[in-house]
Amino acid sequence: MTARKMHPQERIDEWRGRGAWTDDTVQQLFLDRVAEFGDATAVVDPPNKRDLVDLDPERVSWNEVAEAADTLAAVLLASGLGEGDVVAVQLPNTVELAVVYLAVWRVRGIVSPLPVQYRRHELVELGNIGAIDAFVTADRIGTRAAAGDVVSMRDDIPSLATVFSYGPTEVQGAVHLSTALQDVTTEALAAVAAYADAHPVDPNDCITICWTSGTESRPKGVPRAHYEWLVMSWDTVYSPSLTHESRILNPFPMVNMAGINGMFLPWLRTGCVLVQHHPFDLPVFLRQVADEGISYTVAPPALLALLLQREELLAGADISTLKQIGSGSVPLQEWMVRGWYERHGITVINYFGSNEGISLMTDVVLMTEPEQRARFFPRYGGGREWSFPASKQTSVKLIDPSTGEEISEPGVAGELYLRGPSLFAGYLDAANVPSPFDPEGFLKTGDMFVIDGPHAEYLRYVDRAKDLIIRGGMNVAPAELETMIAGHPGIAEVAVIGYPDDLLGERICAVVVPRPGATITLAEVIEHLAAQQIASYKLPERLEIRDALPRNPVGKVLKRALRSEMEQPA
């Protein structure tokens, strides 16, 4: 295949002319770090790695990552993979996951990362939408025979030619990487170098296809080039003040914006130590902070609040090296932001973004009060200068969803629109997916904000225009679940909503109207969904039975009314 170009020349000329886009590529960043730091530690595995895969925890240097990436690249190239080919990857946060990214890029392929929770339902659907050419996974992920499952899906994903498997077990129908990597010759490594030389990297080449649930039942592919990823990475380096001396702990799956732009790319930018964590385990997480001298990590707001409310969870934990924590996806609480700083000297950085394009973040220099950091985001172009790169490159506006008019007065809610060099070019299969852009090229985020602050210099989040549940940092599209649950023979109507949870932020509730004479239990709903092999994090944890769903005069289900009921004390 040939490389997939992302942006039209007009957009390239604009952002290169403004200095936002450069000749930087992820491959060159990696080569620069290897040359600069060589034998210094680069990536550290989670100590409980064997809980998920049959591989031992490792600590590897930059040189060792480079050697592993080239060796895997030789296996990929020998299997017929190269420029423009799409390689799906389903692995936990490990050394191997970083190596796979770098190896695929070494042969000029495209990485399509998938959460480890995904099962046949999601894998077949995304495999076909993304037209994947190969799949890299492990013989076991948790209790699931992951590679064997993917091999069994080949007939359902016509484009899938090759499955690669890490681990000691040889899976029939898959390339056993433990053997294949050992068999790589110096000639095969030379072939990789020659192939890379013959296929120069263009910063406009697509390098990832991530996936967003959005609000529709059909997932959407978000392709990205070097250009957008690397301009975004400056902000996630700048905000937590990362340098080569930093040690960062990554508990978020490296499958979307939070894990890739929040952790992986800053690692490539600075040459710091990337400490992987997966699956999330609080005692292990806190032990890693202490043992690895972590200076920066990320965590969902609900967890940060819980750790302050239950001080016994931090008893005996040494978090003295931790200086900053990134958080977001939902509004932060002022008491929580203040509490982390006053009790532990740790600054909480508020991020608000999406797979389609990073949007808003705390100005760590100018927003010094906890109230500001919890409630507000900078209003780019609102008359005040901000300190970080995105504020000078990104334009924002609020649009009245009823009239389509731009809002300029404080306190009036409008949908946030964004335009800047961090935005992706458009969804995969764009002909069959509605454009998320307005005629001026602004991304319509689906999130409602108001202008706020004494000088109208802030934006304050008020609500989601999109019907989306964020459970433990993972997006769940209610429409997808509603379509699947509605197939149950005992259910007449269904609405899926989120309800507040101290640990995960939101959990999932199915509100159903049974068919006449039928009775429905939560266990039956879960069994019905599990039979369709969906990711476990999408399964409802609560069931509410109603005689009818509340609707407005035109028949739309009033989910806000249902959510309000969930929030009432029992």
Side-chain angles (χ1 to χ4, degrees):
M1 293 181 66
T2 58
R4 186 179 306 182
K5 308 299 180 182
M6 288 288 92
H7 299 279
Q9 192 62 46
E10 179 183 11
R11 189 159 194 249
I12 294 172
D13 292 342
E14 176 186 2
W15 293 115
R16 287 185 68 95
R18 295 173 63 174
W21 288 356
T22 69
D23 290 331
D24 283 350
T25 66
V26 291
Q27 288 98 323
Q28 192 58 52
L29 286 184
F30 177 61
L31 293 175
D32 289 347
R33 298 297 83 78
V34 173
E36 193 173 4
F37 301 119
D39 291 330
T41 301
V43 190
V44 178
D45 264 328
N48 56 340
K49 181 178 180 178
R50 279 196 164 270
D51 289 353
L52 273 184
V53 292
D54 291 323
L55 298 167
D56 291 326
E58 293 184 275
R59 305 176 69 88
V60 293
S61 69
W62 288 95
N63 283 334
E64 288 168 329
V65 173
E67 181 181 354
D70 264 10
T71 305
L72 178 57
V75 174
L76 299 177
L77 191 64
S79 299
L81 294 166
E83 187 175 61
D85 289 325
V86 181
V87 181
V89 184
Q90 189 179 43
L91 290 168
N93 286 349
T94 56
V95 167
E96 287 77 14
L97 182 56
V99 167
V100 171
Y101 269 79
L102 296 165
V104 173
W105 293 333
R106 180 72 165 139
V107 299
R108 310 308 190 239
I110 300 168
V111 175
S112 184
L114 303 169
V116 296
Q117 299 97 326
Y118 278 10
R119 301 294 189 267
R120 175 180 288 270
H121 171 76
E122 293 90 0
L123 298 181
V124 169
E125 183 173 35
L126 301 187
N128 283 300
I129 296 173
I132 63 172
D133 299 286
F135 202 114
V136 181
T137 187
D139 56 8
R140 175 182 70 86
I141 299 180
T143 60
R144 181 169 63 96
D149 285 352
V150 176
V151 169
S152 73
M153 301 173 199
R154 269 184 162 149
D155 289 343
D156 298 318
I157 310 175
S159 61
L160 177 58
T162 313
V163 178
F164 300 90
S165 177
Y166 278 103
T169 305
E170 292 196 33
V171 177
Q172 186 173 1
V175 175
H176 185 226
L177 285 175
S178 294
T179 300
L181 293 171
Q182 291 177 354
D183 293 341
V184 170
T185 63
T186 54
E187 291 78 13
L189 293 173
V192 170
Y195 185 89
D197 289 342
H199 297 80
V201 183
D202 180 344
N204 195 34
D205 290 345
C206 177
I207 58 170
T208 60
I209 300 173
C210 297
W211 299 92
T212 182
S213 295
T215 58
E216 297 81 20
S217 58
R218 178 183 169 90
K220 298 189 289 292
V222 180
R224 281 193 173 277
H226 302 261
Y227 276 139
E228 316 100 87
W229 274 128
L230 293 181
V231 73
M232 285 189 294
S233 67
W234 281 122
D235 294 293
T236 45
V237 168
Y238 175 87
S239 292
S241 304
L242 299 181
T243 69
H244 170 60
E245 303 302 321
S246 300
R247 302 178 71 87
I248 61 178
L249 176 58
N250 178 33
F252 282 4
M254 282 191 348
V255 298
N256 54 25
M257 184 66 69
I260 298 173
N261 188 57
M263 289 281 158
F264 188 69
L265 293 177
W267 169 67
L268 285 179
R269 279 278 185 208
T270 65
C272 65
V273 177
L274 174 64
V275 180
Q276 298 280 49
H277 179 92
H278 205 157
F280 187 79
D281 182 298
L282 183 58
V284 173
F285 181 81
L286 294 175
R287 188 166 74 247
Q288 284 180 288
V289 171
D291 293 349
E292 301 294 342
I294 298 301
S295 56
Y296 175 67
T297 189
V298 290
L303 176 61
L304 296 180
L306 181 67
L307 290 174
L308 286 182
Q309 291 169 325
R310 295 180 54 189
E311 293 190 7
E312 72 275 12
L313 295 176
L314 285 175
D318 180 4
I319 59 172
S320 59
T321 59
L322 193 56
K323 303 304 178 186
Q324 293 175 314
I325 300 175
S327 194
S329 78
V330 297
L332 305 185
Q333 297 161 300
E334 180 187 346
W335 69 266
M336 183 268 285
V337 176
R338 184 183 300 278
W340 275 98
Y341 187 76
E342 292 182 348
R343 294 187 205 177
H344 304 290
I346 295 172
T347 298
V348 177
I349 304 171
N350 196 356
Y351 292 102
F352 195 100
S354 68
N355 274 324
E356 290 84 349
I358 198 166
S359 52
L360 309 172
M361 68 197 76
T362 298
D363 190 313
V364 294
V365 174
L366 300 177
M367 299 173 69
T368 57
E369 295 298 318
E371 178 185 13
Q372 295 173 334
R373 294 186 173 194
R375 298 183 62 207
F376 302 131
F377 294 96
R379 181 183 170 214
Y380 310 149
R384 181 176 181 181
E385 291 290 324
W386 302 98
S387 67
F388 55 94
S391 66
K392 300 171 178 60
Q393 301 163 341
T394 306
S395 301
V396 303
K397 59 184 179 181
L398 299 185
I399 300 297
D400 186 315
S402 301
T403 66
E405 298 296 320
E406 185 171 355
I407 295 168
S408 58
E409 64 270 28
V412 179
E415 183 180 357
L416 178 69
Y417 282 37
L418 294 151
R419 184 180 185 277
S422 68
L423 297 186
F424 80 135
Y427 292 119
L428 201 66
D429 191 24
N432 297 308
V433 180
S435 172
F437 302 106
D438 78 355
E440 296 179 304
F442 280 77
L443 175 71
K444 298 177 281 188
T445 68
D447 297 301
M448 304 294 286
F449 283 77
V450 298
I451 298 169
D452 207 328
H455 306 291
E457 73 270 41
Y458 297 130
L459 293 173
R460 175 169 54 84
Y461 174 83
V462 293
D463 200 359
R464 280 201 301 267
K466 294 179 179 178
D467 183 16
L468 193 67
I469 298 168
I470 303 177
R471 181 189 184 277
M474 300 294 286
N475 289 354
V476 178
E480 177 186 30
L481 288 180
E482 288 164 354
T483 299
M484 300 174 79
I485 293 172
H488 190 287
I491 293 176
E493 292 184 286
V494 58
V496 173
I497 59 173
Y499 64 96
D501 179 75
D502 287 340
L503 181 60
L504 296 175
E506 288 183 293
R507 292 186 184 270
I508 302 168
C509 176
V511 184
V512 305
V513 177
R515 292 189 182 278
T519 58
I520 301 296
T521 66
L522 178 60
E524 290 172 336
V525 172
I526 291 174
E527 182 181 7
H528 175 72
L529 289 171
Q532 299 175 69
Q533 299 189 54
I534 69 166
S536 57
Y537 70 85
K538 298 179 182 179
L539 296 174
E541 294 145 298
R542 179 171 173 175
L543 179 71
E544 294 287 329
I545 304 296
R546 296 288 187 273
D547 294 330
L549 297 178
R551 297 180 182 274
N552 66 12
V554 297
K556 185 177 180 179
V557 175
L558 298 173
K559 290 195 173 181
R560 186 171 297 182
L562 292 173
R563 283 192 288 266
S564 179
E565 291 178 21
M566 298 296 103
E567 295 169 2
Q568 298 301 316

